[in-house]
Amino acid sequence: MKKISYICLTALFLCVPAFAAYDDASFQAEVLEGLDLISARANLDVSEVAPGELGADVYQFAGAVQTDDSQLFIPTSLYLRMGGGINLGFATDKAKVNDKEYKSSGSWTTQIGFGFNLSSFVRTEIDLQESTLNFSGLDDAQASYRTLGGMLYFDLARRYIQNGDITYRRKFVPFIGVGAGVGQYQFDGAGGADGFLVAAPQAVLGFNIMLNNVIGIDVMYQYQMMIENGFGWWVNADSVDNISNVIVSLRANF
């Protein structure tokens, strides 16, 4: 009887590796099959699952495969934006000197904005802007204005996409914005129409390019309708004037 027991135990030990090898091969085959299908179809429908529990786990991640325009990202609430740009003379109203008009030329603007991300699509911002205006044909004449404004931005593509515990950010995001501001302007020299102004509305159209998870570049066109007491020299009537700029700024998220 003892010999028979030894023979049975020996047979059992010899069979165990065979069973283990079979299970290990099945495991590897199922994983490789899942990986091959993910590689072939990045946008796989999660309803198409591989047989077996392991295959289902593999395919559930297929819908979250990183695309070319997104990267792993941790969403932030606040950002700071700083930049500058040039005035578009052809899209800016001319300054008046009595009955004559002079086109904006060689003018520029600087801007600082502090913003809060309300969602993946909407953000709000307070910005401080200072601009200097020069005019063609008036070499010794210069004007400036400073405004404090509030803006509401709408991103036209979702900035970040959450898939389970993983969040991806988009590298390129176009946006629009609308808001208003108040400030003061000054036309240097005698007869300058200085005073208080209301910039309403302010509107922007642009895009953001993320360089990494923290730093991005904003490129935007900005329109401002200035409501003020004249625009130029020896101009006393209330007026509404249009100002257009192209601004490039760095945006730092934190």
Side-chain angles (χ1 to χ4, degrees), residues 6-140:
Y6 287 150
I7 292 173
C8 291
L9 289 174
T10 301
L12 179 61
F13 282 120
L14 290 175
C15 290
V16 167
F19 289 128
Y22 175 80
D23 292 339
D24 184 61
S26 300
F27 177 88
Q28 294 183 34
E30 188 171 334
V31 172
L32 291 174
E33 182 183 357
L35 294 177
D36 289 341
L37 190 50
I38 289 176
S39 177
R41 296 187 59 192
N43 296 320
L44 182 68
D45 187 346
V46 296
S47 63
E48 300 180 27
V49 298
E53 184 176 350
L54 176 63
D57 291 341
V58 171
Y59 289 119
Q60 285 172 2
F61 187 72
V65 171
Q66 181 174 326
T67 60
D68 292 337
D69 66 342
S70 63
Q71 290 188 2
L72 192 59
F73 179 58
I74 299 176
T76 58
S77 297
L78 303 176
Y79 67 87
L80 181 66
R81 187 172 60 82
M82 301 178 65
I86 60 173
N87 175 260
L88 300 179
F90 65 88
T92 296
D93 284 352
K94 298 177 181 179
K96 303 175 183 65
V97 180
N98 292 324
D99 295 331
K100 295 183 179 180
E101 295 183 335
Y102 297 89
K103 181 179 178 181
S104 171
S105 176
S107 306
W108 69 92
T109 187
T110 57
Q111 190 176 44
I112 299 176
F114 181 74
F116 180 75
N117 295 315
L118 300 175
S119 72
S120 180
F121 284 107
V122 182
R123 52 193 171 89
T124 186
E125 180 179 309
I126 296 174
D127 69 78
L128 178 64
Q129 188 168 173
E130 181 172 356
S131 296
T132 299
L133 296 173
N134 296 308
F135 301 95
S136 179
L138 292 174
D139 295 337
D140 298 329

